[in-house]
């Protein structure tokens, strides 16, 4: 598994691996307040739904740690900080899930003890707990997903998997979601070959997925997004596995732009299309994927990707960061509590009320 830590707490600040610099440079940035955290999330210094959630929890703590008021004023300040952090990115629901969670904890803490120092300590403890919880969750996703991947590749000595964007260790604290089954399997001596879509426009697939798999010694081949059909036709791809930024109650999946195209191709080539995500990525309040807010990012990400202009000046640019794959293209949703299959309303609802296995 990728040895480069995504998020660490130094005792004074949050240290983030700056993912905008990968793969050329491995640099870390220290985040000391909520504005710096907002900026880091917005600019994709830290990215990927689980990592955004954990970072936001730390951001909330950083935003109140020097606040001088009493418990009531502290809760109000926390709510302002959380509202502010919530404006950083709209699609990954883990951001909102984490911010709600820390506010709930602060409220409980204030009921137990009205000393603001104690409330702040509980917030920090919660964020620190989320670091460990994220690893355990993703490891369980890995176990559940591995069973599916092994089944798809019965009789083959190497399991060939195609993925899109980055849903590995670097989208989370460790293991990741879509790559977790691969890391868990590799630890047991299973062999994998990962085909990683480069993922236009910000190249999370080639910059980040390929980086972390290479660091982990797992064979990886990068392809341009428009080569996926050819790879599915010419290589024996046993399964496609991607992560998710938000999943509606009916199983529709918002993930990095381009995922929908991959899912349509998977259906054409009769390849299983799996989505791996923690329960915290399921938004049970949204009935279908039509309700998922989709982030649109700056046109320059398309027209000036990594330097040179790649489109004529002034041309109109379309740059949604995510698309929604309808649940009928999804073979299974792999969570830490088990695997959901169609009909998803029922299977996802059952996972909501079940314990992790
Ligand atoms: O814009 P990003 O890099 O934060 O988007 C992340 C993704 O969409 C990933 O594909 C991932 O599957 C979701 S995070 C597990």
């Amino acid at each position: 598994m990728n040895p480069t830590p995504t998020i660490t707490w130094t005792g004074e600040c949050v240290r983030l691996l700056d993912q905008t610099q990968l793969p050329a440079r491995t640099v870390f940035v220290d985040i000391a307040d909520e504005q710096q955290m907002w900026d880091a999330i917005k600019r994709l210094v830290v990215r990927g739904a689980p990592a955004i959630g954990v970072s936001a929890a730390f951001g909330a703590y950083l935003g109140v740690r020097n606040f001088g008021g009493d418990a009531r004023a502290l809760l109000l300040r926390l709510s302002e900080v959380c509202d502010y952090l919530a404006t950083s990115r709209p699609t990954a629901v883990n951001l909102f899930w984490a911010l709600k969670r820390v506010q709930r904890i602060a409220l409980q803490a204030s009921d137990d003890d009205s000393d603001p120092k104690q409330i702040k300590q509980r917030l920090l403890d919660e964020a620190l707990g989320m670091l460990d919880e994220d690893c355990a969750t993703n490891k369980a996703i890995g176990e559940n997903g591995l069973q599916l991947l092994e089944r798809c590749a019965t009789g083959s000595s190497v399991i060939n998997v195609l993925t899109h964007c980055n849903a590995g260790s670097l989208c989370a604290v460790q293991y990741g979601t879509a790559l977790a089954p691969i890391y868990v399997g590799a630890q047991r001596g299973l062999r994998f070959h990962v085909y990683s879509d480069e993922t236009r426009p910000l190249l999370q697939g080639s910059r980040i997925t390929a980086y972390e798999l290479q660091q982990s010694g797992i064979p990886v081949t990068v392809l341009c997004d428009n080569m996926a059909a050819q790879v599915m036709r010419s290589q024996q791809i046993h399964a496609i596995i991607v992560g998710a930024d938000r999943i509606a109650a009916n199983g529709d999946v918002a993930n990095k732009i381009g995922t929908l195209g991959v899912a349509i191709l998977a259906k054409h080539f009769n390849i299983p299309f799996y989505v791996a995500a923690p329960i915290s990525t399921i938004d049970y309040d949204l009935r279908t994927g039509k309700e998922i807010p989709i982030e649109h990012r700056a046109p320059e990400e398309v027209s000036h990707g990594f330097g040179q202009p790649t489109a004529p000046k002034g041309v109109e640019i379309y740059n949604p960061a995510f698309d929604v794959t309808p649940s009928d293209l999804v073979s299974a949703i792999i969570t830490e509590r088990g695997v959901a299959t169609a009909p998803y309303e029922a299977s996802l609802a059952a996972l909501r009320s079940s314990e992790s296995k």
Side-chain angles (χ1 to χ4, degrees):
M1 184 189 5
N2 172 56
T4 316
T6 320
I7 308 167
T8 42
W9 174 247
T10 66
E12 285 300 319
C13 60
V14 182
R15 187 156 291 160
L16 298 175
L17 171 67
D18 185 350
Q19 299 194 33
T20 65
Q21 302 294 313
L22 291 175
R25 299 194 312 140
T26 306
V27 288
F28 295 89
V29 286
D30 285 348
I31 304 293
D33 62 32
E34 76 278 18
Q35 277 109 357
Q36 289 175 0
M37 188 59 90
W38 187 95
D39 179 67
I41 295 172
K42 180 81 185 170
R43 289 195 304 108
L44 315 189
V45 168
V46 63
R47 44 145 304 278
I52 291 172
V54 176
S55 300
F58 276 109
Y61 165 70
L62 293 174
V64 298
R65 70 170 161 179
N66 296 323
F67 184 76
D70 64 9
R72 213 165 143 266
L74 179 67
L75 292 183
L76 283 175
R77 171 70 194 141
L78 179 66
S79 151
E80 283 169 11
V81 169
C82 289
D83 287 350
Y84 166 67
L85 287 166
T87 62
S88 55
R89 294 191 77 190
T91 304
V93 74
N94 302 58
L95 171 67
F96 310 97
W97 165 86
L99 294 172
K100 274 189 211 145
R101 176 166 160 171
V102 292
Q103 288 183 88
R104 209 171 44 237
I105 287 297
L107 197 61
Q108 275 167 17
S110 70
D111 283 345
D112 299 344
D113 185 339
S114 59
D115 178 359
K117 249 171 92 183
Q118 294 303 325
I119 301 171
K120 291 177 193 173
Q121 187 58 47
R122 286 274 288 275
L123 284 172
L124 176 59
D125 291 345
E126 189 69 12
L128 289 169
M130 284 165 83
L131 288 172
D132 294 336
E133 186 184 299
D134 184 75
C135 297
T137 297
N138 297 338
K139 203 166 175 202
I141 290 173
E143 294 288 353
N144 293 334
L146 182 59
Q147 292 178 21
L148 293 182
L149 295 188
E150 283 190 282
R151 223 176 292 149
C152 296
T154 307
S156 176
S157 60
V158 179
I159 305 176
N160 297 320
V161 172
L162 184 139
T163 192
H164 188 76
C165 193
N166 173 262
S169 267
L170 296 175
C171 85
V173 179
Q174 259 186 353
Y175 287 100
T177 53
L179 298 190
I182 293 160
Y183 288 129
V184 169
Q187 282 168 351
R188 304 218 175 113
L190 294 176
R191 291 172 59 211
F192 294 88
H193 193 114
V194 179
Y195 291 83
S196 177
D197 285 351
E198 88 182 324
T199 315
R200 282 279 290 154
L202 295 181
L203 310 186
Q204 287 94 330
S206 57
R207 291 189 305 106
I208 304 174
T209 298
Y211 167 83
E212 67 165 83
L213 287 169
Q214 197 181 53
Q215 295 264 311
S216 314
I218 294 174
V220 54
T221 301
V222 171
L223 52 134
C224 300
D225 298 350
N226 55 0
M227 298 168 188
Q230 178 60 17
V231 166
M232 288 186 214
R233 183 201 288 278
S234 62
Q235 311 294 319
Q236 194 190 15
I237 301 294
H238 296 110
I240 291 159
I241 187 161
V242 298
D245 291 80
R246 197 184 294 223
I247 300 173
N250 73 339
D252 291 348
V253 174
N255 193 47
K256 180 53 58 193
I257 189 74
T259 303
L260 171 61
V262 175
I264 293 168
L265 289 175
K267 190 178 171 79
H268 177 82
F269 289 107
N270 201 22
I271 300 171
F273 180 85
Y274 296 129
V275 174
I279 295 289
S280 54
T281 299
I282 303 170
D283 188 343
Y284 287 97
D285 292 336
L286 302 189
R287 228 171 44 77
T288 78
K290 288 201 178 86
E291 296 166 51
I292 298 176
I294 298 294
E295 176 181 16
H296 282 253
R297 292 185 62 87
E300 292 73 28
E301 290 181 353
V302 174
S303 64
H304 289 73
F306 304 96
Q308 292 283 330
T310 52
K313 203 168 171 200
V315 77
E316 196 179 316
I317 298 286
Y318 180 63
N319 188 20
F322 303 97
D323 56 27
V324 176
T325 298
S327 60
D328 60 352
L329 294 177
V330 177
S331 310
I333 297 175
I334 304 158
T335 77
E336 71 275 28
R337 295 191 189 167
V339 174
T341 50
Y344 287 104
E345 282 89 349
S347 58
L348 292 177
L351 286 180
R352 185 182 202 180
S353 46
S354 72
E355 293 292 316
S356 294
K357 9 179 177 153

